[in-house]
């Protein structure tokens, strides 16, 4: 399986999109991707396969003669994606509420949605753009031009507001950044992202911890940097969202381009 990460060029899209991940699988080898919880949202476009839900934590990419798409939202446990046949995929990772800024539809409460692009004929040009024979640079430019043409100003402002929350370490900081009371912040997160502020911050901290673990930073230092009560509290929280201890994760986790963290089996 080959992967290539490309980052947005357009200054506006940098606010809503984290990166474009191009995946190419050319063989029939069985592969399992273990994807860890995250606060972002992923829109994936596939050629040669279709994502099917086995249960809330496991999915299969099955052979398909049609182009397909799927959307994943904030999930709180690792998910497995199993595949065998060759396929091509583009995963577009959005910041919280970034999908709304571009598509103008409330997707961020979605945990998993299949064939999401088929619901609106105005979005179908993405398939032709992504799976053309053009270079990755041209494909990226065309995708970004397409997204800019769809950008919703009023929802873009909401996305920028959520971007500020990526810098928060405590719920009190979320309250201040959003200019809301504790109860209003809680209600706002549940309504917008279908998760609580506490869960949101914990998942963010676990994600921040992952590259530090892979770089052999001592756990006690990571706990301090990420404002955990102590090392034990950090390990307990990490295991809650990854189903593994930091030492177990270190043996299997993989960091791609200092951004993508997953486990391939």
């Amino acid at each position: 399986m080959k992967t290539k990460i490309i980052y947005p060029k357009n200054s506006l899209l940098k606010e809503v999109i984290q990166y474009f991940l191009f995946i190419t699988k050319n063989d029939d080898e069985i592969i399992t991707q273990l994807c860890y919880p995250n606060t972002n949202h992923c829109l994936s476009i596939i050629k040669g396969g279709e994502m099917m839900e086995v249960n809330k934590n496991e999915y299969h990419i099955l052979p398909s003669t049609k182009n397909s798409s799927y959307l994943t939202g904030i999930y709180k446990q690792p998910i497995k994606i199993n595949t065998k046949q060759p396929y091509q995929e583009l995963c577009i990772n959005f910041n919280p509420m970034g999908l709304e800024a571009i598509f103008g539809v409330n997707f961020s409460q979605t945990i998993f949605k299949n064939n999401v692009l088929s619901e609106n004929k105005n979005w179908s040009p993405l398939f032709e753009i992504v799976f053309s024979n053009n270079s990755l640079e041209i494909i990226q430019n065309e995708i970004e031009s397409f997204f800019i043409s769809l950008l919703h100003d009023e929802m873009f402002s909401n996305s920028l507001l959520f971007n500020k929350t990526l810098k928060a370490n405590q719920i009190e900081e979320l309250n201040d950044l959003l200019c809301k009371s504790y109860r209003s912040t809680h209600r706002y997160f549940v309504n917008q992202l279908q998760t609580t502020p506490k869960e949101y911050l914990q998942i963010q901290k676990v994600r921040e911890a992952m590259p530090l673990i892979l770089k052999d930073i001592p756990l006690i230092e990571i706990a301090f940097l990420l404002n955990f009560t102590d090392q034990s509290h950090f390990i307990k929280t990490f295991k809650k969202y990854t189903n593994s201890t930091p030492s177990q994760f270190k043996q299997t986790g993989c960091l791609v381009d200092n951004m993508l963290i997953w486990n391939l089996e």
Side-chain angles (χ1 to χ4, degrees):
M1 179 182 286
K2 297 180 180 179
T3 61
K4 177 70 174 179
I5 292 178
I6 298 178
Y7 299 93
K9 299 177 183 177
N10 183 279
S11 58
L12 293 178
L13 293 183
K14 287 179 180 179
E15 298 290 348
V16 296
I17 296 176
Q18 294 182 351
Y19 58 84
F20 302 96
L21 169 63
F22 291 86
I23 299 174
T24 304
K25 186 176 182 296
N26 292 319
D27 55 40
D28 291 315
E29 180 184 359
I30 298 175
I31 289 182
T32 297
Q33 305 170 41
L34 183 64
C35 304
Y36 296 101
N38 208 339
T39 56
N40 63 18
H41 300 78
C42 178
L43 172 64
S44 286
I45 305 169
I46 307 178
K47 179 181 181 180
E50 180 178 0
M51 182 78 83
M52 301 301 295
E53 184 176 19
V54 178
N55 55 59
K56 65 180 182 178
N57 299 118
E58 184 172 355
Y59 301 86
H60 290 173
I61 298 180
L62 302 178
S64 175
T65 57
K66 298 180 180 179
N67 296 332
S68 65
S69 61
Y70 68 92
L71 175 70
T72 56
I74 295 179
Y75 48 95
K76 301 164 189 175
Q77 289 291 304
I79 61 173
K80 288 185 177 181
I81 301 177
N82 303 297
T83 184
K84 180 180 180 181
Q85 82 287 344
Y87 70 95
Q88 292 176 261
E89 181 176 8
L90 169 61
C91 301
I92 309 174
N93 276 45
F94 292 83
N95 284 328
M97 304 305 294
L99 278 162
E100 280 75 359
I102 292 177
F103 292 105
V105 178
N106 188 2
F107 283 136
S108 290
Q109 290 189 2
T110 303
I111 302 300
F112 174 77
K113 187 175 181 63
N114 211 352
N115 291 314
V116 63
L117 294 181
S118 301
E119 294 186 353
N120 191 319
K121 64 181 181 180
N122 293 328
W123 302 339
S124 59
L126 271 177
F127 289 117
E128 184 177 350
I129 293 172
V130 171
F131 300 123
S132 71
N133 292 322
N134 293 324
S135 67
L136 288 186
E137 183 178 5
I138 292 176
I139 291 172
Q140 179 185 3
N141 291 340
E142 291 185 355
I143 292 173
E144 293 199 20
S145 295
F146 179 76
F147 282 167
I148 287 296
S149 71
L150 297 177
L151 205 61
H152 291 70
D153 290 342
E154 69 281 4
M155 294 188 175
F156 181 73
S157 298
N158 197 24
S159 178
L160 291 181
L161 182 61
F162 258 94
N163 279 359
K164 295 180 180 180
T165 66
L166 298 174
K167 302 176 182 179
N169 285 311
Q170 304 292 337
I171 292 178
E172 291 77 14
E173 291 178 306
L174 289 178
N175 300 338
D176 293 340
L177 289 167
L178 296 173
C179 299
K180 295 179 181 292
S181 66
Y182 173 83
R183 295 181 66 178
S184 295
T185 298
H186 187 279
R187 183 166 56 250
Y188 188 64
F189 269 81
V190 172
N191 290 340
Q192 298 287 348
L193 300 178
Q194 209 171 32
T195 190
T196 67
K198 180 179 179 180
E199 289 172 328
Y200 179 84
L201 289 176
Q202 286 184 330
I203 293 172
Q204 279 193 175
K205 289 181 180 182
V206 167
R207 294 295 303 196
E208 289 181 51
M210 287 179 170
L212 301 179
I213 293 170
L214 295 176
K215 293 176 182 177
D216 289 325
I217 305 299
L219 297 186
I220 191 169
E221 185 175 340
I222 295 175
F224 174 77
L225 288 171
L226 298 178
N227 291 297
F228 284 95
T229 305
D230 50 35
Q231 181 174 316
S232 176
H233 180 214
F234 164 62
I235 294 173
K236 182 179 179 180
T237 302
F238 190 90
K239 188 172 183 179
K240 174 182 177 181
Y241 290 102
T242 66
N243 293 335
S244 64
T245 64
S247 60
Q248 290 169 333
F249 167 78
K250 184 178 177 180
Q251 295 174 2
T252 58
C254 178
L255 178 62
V256 181
D257 199 19
N258 289 316
M259 177 59 70
L260 173 66
I261 300 175
W262 62 6
N263 177 11
L264 290 182
E265 299 176 353

